[in-house]
Amino acid sequence: MQPFAVGKEYARQRLLDFVGSRQAQSGVLWGAKEPGCIICTSGGKHGKNAGYSDEALPDGSWWYFGQGMNGDQQLTNSANSKLASRQLSVLLFTTREPTSKEVAAQGGYGKLFGYRGLFNVADHQPYIPATGIRAGNHLIRFRLVPAEEGEEAQDNENTLPQGLGPNGLQEWLRVATSQPVPVGLALVQYYQRCAQIRRYAKLRAHGICEGCGTQAPFFSQDGTPFLEVHHLVRLADDGPDTPENVAALCPNCHRRVHHGSDRLEFNAGIVKSILAKEDGLR
């Protein structure tokens, strides 16, 4: 999906070029070049001056504070509304001020941004600091969970429930995902919820790729057709979503929708197909 390596540092222009943005100072970047993702930068003098208290949590997730340097933060803010939608993958970077040697070498004071990985927004909540320069302000903090680890929570997701017709499949999904994702949810529970959505897509496909309409190319070790789940709005294939936003694809279509020269048009076609299929199931 993206050309960044975890642990490696990049100049801000590299981040702007990736998404196609001209945002000068914002800590959240987005653009038309990569519409399925948003870049969040954390730390640095700007963040400290704004009173942000982003932090990495022991389970690998992050608290990431919303945008708005003065007073209360609002979900109507463009960056905050994009994060709250939970429809975009988050590329998280931490900010570092350059050393004197680096300033001399690069000819300026441009910050360096270290890539922390691909994340999804699990939830958000209000937060009112009791101390510091933002004391008493109504802030918004978003809980980011690492997306790539979600692929590990796939045990038995191909196992078919017995006796399910189309309506039964819809009812199974409703029950499986009926509970809201609470704040502070353990990552293992979060990924179990994600697995239910992936499982649903594979059950709905009945072994037929929802991209090209051909039979799955081979069977998995458990005897089920091998298909990979793609999220249609995001450019990353991880995280929870809705039935209308997931498709079970053969490996060729999955690579095409990410790397093909026609990836945007191909993805748009799958979106229409899945919407029609879901309307039929209902």
Side-chain angles (χ1 to χ4, degrees):
M1 172 195 167
Q2 35 78 21
F4 304 109
V6 173
K8 188 174 180 180
E9 293 182 319
Y10 301 87
R12 182 180 177 85
Q13 191 59 48
R14 179 75 176 276
L15 280 56
L16 293 170
D17 290 343
F18 174 69
V19 294
S21 172
R22 294 183 179 180
Q23 293 161 270
Q25 300 297 329
S26 175
V28 179
L29 310 174
W30 64 87
K33 190 175 178 181
E34 291 290 342
C37 74
I38 189 168
I39 288 177
C40 291
T41 63
S42 175
K45 292 180 180 179
H46 178 80
K48 291 180 181 179
N49 292 338
Y52 299 149
S53 302
D54 302 341
E55 63 175 316
L57 302 175
D59 63 5
S61 62
W62 276 71
W63 281 125
Y64 185 80
F65 280 78
Q67 298 294 286
M69 293 183 61
N70 301 299
D72 296 341
Q73 294 179 341
Q74 306 292 334
L75 283 176
T76 52
N77 173 282
S78 295
N80 296 340
S81 65
K82 290 179 183 298
L83 287 167
S85 75
R86 302 202 307 172
Q87 294 298 303
L88 301 171
S89 298
V90 175
L91 279 66
L92 180 63
F93 291 80
T94 50
T95 308
R96 182 175 69 81
E97 303 295 331
T99 65
S100 57
K101 289 184 178 180
E102 288 169 334
V103 169
Q106 65 187 19
Y109 290 87
K111 300 179 181 66
L112 297 171
F113 297 87
Y115 184 50
R116 301 303 295 263
L118 186 67
F119 289 76
N120 290 317
V121 179
D123 50 50
H124 68 274
Q125 64 175 229
Y127 181 80
I128 305 176
T131 61
I133 63 176
R134 301 301 292 268
N137 289 167
H138 292 251
L139 307 183
I140 305 168
R141 63 178 185 179
F142 298 88
R143 185 161 180 259
L144 309 181
V145 297
E148 287 143 336
E149 296 178 15
E151 290 302 311
E152 298 174 4
Q154 297 187 31
D155 292 345
N156 300 318
E157 70 177 40
N158 284 321
T159 303
L160 298 174
Q162 296 297 315
L164 285 184
N167 291 336
L169 180 56
Q170 291 278 320
E171 178 63 17
W172 169 82
L173 180 69
R174 186 190 68 77
V175 173
T177 61
S178 60
Q179 296 301 314
V181 179
V183 173
L185 182 71
L187 284 189
V188 64
Q189 295 172 284
Y190 177 85
Y191 290 137
Q192 286 170 352
R193 181 180 172 88
C194 299
Q196 299 287 25
I197 300 295
R198 291 196 301 270
R199 184 185 183 196
Y200 171 81
K202 292 182 179 181
L203 295 175
R204 183 186 62 197
H206 294 295
I208 303 297
C209 172
E210 294 182 314
C212 63
T214 61
Q215 189 75 35
F218 57 88
F219 290 92
S220 302
Q221 292 183 4
D222 62 4
T224 58
F226 183 87
L227 294 171
E228 299 173 338
V229 177
H230 166 68
H231 282 71
L232 299 166
V233 172
R234 311 167 192 257
L235 298 186
D237 294 335
D238 307 279
D241 223 329
T242 62
E244 296 84 358
N245 203 30
V246 288
L249 305 178
C250 68
N252 276 348
C253 283
H254 199 186
R255 300 303 176 268
R256 178 181 174 185
V257 82
H258 283 292
H259 306 294
S261 60
D262 65 342
R263 62 191 178 95
L264 296 180
E265 296 83 358
F266 185 51
N267 192 76
I270 299 174
V271 169
K272 292 181 180 179
S273 175
I274 295 301
L275 288 175
K277 179 179 284 191
E278 283 294 316
D279 285 343
L281 287 174
R282 294 194 185 95

